[in-house]
Every structure is written in structure tokens, then in C-alpha cells.
Amino acid sequence: MITGIKGTRRIRRATAVAVTSGALLATGALTATPAQAVTKPSIVAAGGYAMNNTTGKTLYTKAADTQRSTGSTTKIMTAKVVLAQSNLNLDAKVTIQKEYSDYVVRNNASQAHLIVGDKVTVRQLLYGLMLPSGCDAAYALADKYGSGTTRAKRVANFIGKMNTAAKNLGLTHTHFDSFDGIGNGDNYSTPRDLTKIASSAMKNSTFRTVVKTKSYTARTITKTGSTRVMNPWTNTNGLLSSYSGTIGVKTGSGPEAKYCLVFAATRNGKTVIGTVLASTSIAQRESDAKKMMNYGFALMG
């Protein structure tokens, strides 16, 4: 009985294969190999790179090694340096200084709207850094984890740590002169380098948790010791809501950088990670990233 069922199934499968093969032969589809069937997409961004996050194999390139301004994608390295600190205490509290607030106002920068005098944990600052792209949170972290007797020295030391981390990754087309992407003309990277920075950062579980979070509400401690419930921080990475499997990573923008996006998504146990630099709009950088990820997943099979 069982043998008969198996035999019937085999006949059905054979018939199905024969019918399908005939249809394919009629259209000439069988002459195409899987590699030929996947067409490399065209993206609007000036530069792009994507790779298999597990193997490091390149999946897509467009001016992948051309140095460009990175905008707030710089903050990936800011977070990576913080998370690499020895004996890191994510629950350590940082008191928000007036200078952090003044800085974002002076530069008309994106911010987490941190309140002067509030005590905010390092963990909360990482969310404020990566979700709303808070330059005030970036300043607070650089001041906290840089070494020196003055704020200026601490910040310079922290930026030095960012550059050391880039060198340690073997990156030769990356340089930072800021903790948040608001540089002085000497803050740059490439799609390939930024992708490698993000891939390294994604090895940290705290980083992975933060960058895949769509919204986060921080509860800070005020000067008087009461609890302040902050307005929710919303992740600026629209792919988290519009592309299945997205797990990060970070947006960036600016007059010189235009619209940037470092992205990562996992499907069927495989992860594509990549970067687009200098796209033309928020919608376009997301469209570019989706094209690259679709292509990458198709190549990986």
C-alpha cells in the first residue's frame, strides 16, 4: 500500500516536471542560468555596496571605494566605540550639560531633546543616538568616554578612538573629525568601509537590539530626583517598517552627504548588509537599499 502511494507520487512528480520542462523549453527559459536571471539593479545613490554579512562576500558595488561625507551614519562608529569600552556599565548615569543642548541649537542638528540637568543612562543615550539620531546624545557619550581634563580634550580623544577603531578594522578610506557627522570637512568614508564598520558593530548584542528598535521611551531622572518620561524616540530608518527582515542600521543626511543609509536585513537565515551614500531623498535611499537587498538575497539563493 505504502509502496503504491510512493510510486504514484513519483509518477505525479515526473509528470509535473515533464510539463514544466516543456513549458520552459517553449519559452527558452531553461537556457538561462540562475546568475544570468538576476539583473544587477541601477541605483540613484552616488555610491553603494552590499555584502553577505556571514561570509563577507561582495554582492553589489557602485563607486564602493569612493570617499564621501557620511552624515549621521558616522554615529555607528560612535556607538561601536562606546560599546567597546572595558567594564562598560550601560546603566551608568550621565548628567546632561547645557553645552550639549547649545551645540545642537548652534548647528541646527538632529537631537534627542535631552533636558539639561537630567541624569540619563548610557543605554538610553545609545537609543537617543541611534533612533532619532541625537547629536546631543552623541556629544554626551563622547564627553563621557573620552579622556582629558577639559571637554574639548575628551571629545578630541574620543574621536581619536573612532579613528583607531577604523584602522583596527583595516579601513584605509575612512576618517572621522566628529562624533556625530557634523565635521569640519575631514569626516568621510566609503560604502564598503561603512558596511564593514556596521558589520563589526552588529556583532554586539546591545547594538543589534538598539538599531532594530522602532520606538523607545526613555525615563530619565530630573534635577529634583523625580522621573521624567521622555517623548518617544522614533527610529529614522523607514526600512524597519517597509522591508521584511530589516534589522538595522542607521540613516544619515546633510548638505554635503545628501541622503545616506546603512542597512541590514535577514531572510531565511542569511543577512545582507550594505550602504548607500549620496542618494537624492529619504524615499530614494530606501528604494536604493531595497533594490540592493533584493539583488543580494537573489544572488545568495
Side-chain angles (χ1 to χ4, degrees):
M1 185 70 175
I2 293 171
T3 305
I5 291 170
K6 283 186 176 177
T8 303
R9 285 176 179 166
R10 277 199 293 269
I11 290 167
R12 285 175 181 164
R13 278 201 296 268
T15 303
V17 169
V19 171
T20 306
S21 299
L24 287 170
L25 284 169
T27 60
L30 274 184
T31 58
T33 64
Q36 290 171 325
V38 183
T39 304
K40 180 180 177 180
S42 174
I43 62 171
V44 172
Y49 179 80
M51 73 179 190
N52 180 327
N53 193 48
T54 302
T55 65
K57 182 181 178 181
T58 295
L59 299 169
Y60 183 95
T61 62
K62 177 183 178 180
D65 300 308
T66 300
Q67 294 171 185
R68 300 183 189 280
S69 176
T70 57
S72 285
T73 60
T74 298
K75 290 167 181 157
I76 297 170
M77 183 60 96
T78 308
K80 176 176 162 58
V81 168
V82 170
L83 290 165
Q85 298 300 305
S86 58
N87 301 314
L88 178 67
N89 178 8
L90 290 169
D91 297 317
K93 292 181 175 62
V94 177
T95 302
I96 303 305
Q97 306 296 315
K98 185 173 183 295
E99 172 55 21
Y100 310 158
S101 180
D102 291 346
Y103 171 81
V104 291
V105 172
R106 274 198 312 273
N107 290 282
N108 191 28
S110 54
Q111 58 176 307
H113 298 281
L114 299 171
I115 308 298
V116 176
D118 277 12
K119 289 182 172 60
V120 185
T121 68
V122 172
R123 189 191 311 276
Q124 291 168 338
L125 287 173
L126 287 168
Y127 279 97
L129 174 77
M130 300 303 284
L131 272 62
S133 200
C135 294
D136 45 357
Y139 200 160
L141 289 166
D143 193 9
K144 165 79 171 171
Y145 291 106
S147 299
T149 54
T150 65
R151 183 173 292 130
K153 287 180 179 177
R154 289 191 293 274
V155 167
N157 175 263
F158 185 87
I159 295 168
K161 290 181 180 181
M162 293 170 69
N163 285 311
T164 297
K167 288 177 184 174
N168 289 343
L169 288 173
L171 309 181
T172 56
H173 299 293
T174 296
H175 186 266
F176 299 107
D177 71 352
S178 74
F179 48 75
D180 58 2
I182 302 176
N184 299 303
D186 203 23
N187 201 91
Y188 56 81
S189 189
T190 68
R192 191 189 306 268
D193 279 10
L194 264 177
T195 301
K196 289 181 178 179
I197 292 168
S199 180
S200 174
M202 289 289 275
K203 292 176 182 176
N204 182 282
S205 61
T206 299
F207 184 89
R208 289 197 305 273
T209 298
V210 170
V211 298
K212 73 179 180 183
T213 301
K214 292 181 182 179
S215 180
Y216 180 87
T217 301
R219 287 168 171 76
T220 62
I221 306 301
T222 69
K223 290 178 183 177
T224 60
S226 62
T227 299
R228 184 194 309 280
V229 180
M230 298 287 287
N231 288 328
W233 290 324
T234 302
N235 201 318
T236 55
N237 182 4
L239 293 178
L240 289 166
S241 299
S242 66
Y243 191 83
S244 174
T246 297
I247 55 173
V249 174
K250 183 73 185 74
T251 62
S253 62
E256 186 184 355
K258 297 183 182 175
Y259 293 89
C260 310
L261 179 57
V262 180
F263 54 85
T266 299
R267 290 182 176 179
N268 299 319
K270 296 173 182 177
T271 300
V272 175
I273 190 165
T275 300
V276 291
L277 293 182
S279 197
T280 55
S281 68
I282 290 173
Q284 191 59 59
R285 73 186 174 193
E286 291 180 7
S287 174
D288 287 343
K290 288 174 184 177
K291 285 180 183 179
M292 291 165 65
M293 286 190 286
N294 286 340
Y295 179 68
F297 283 123
L299 286 182
M300 290 194 296

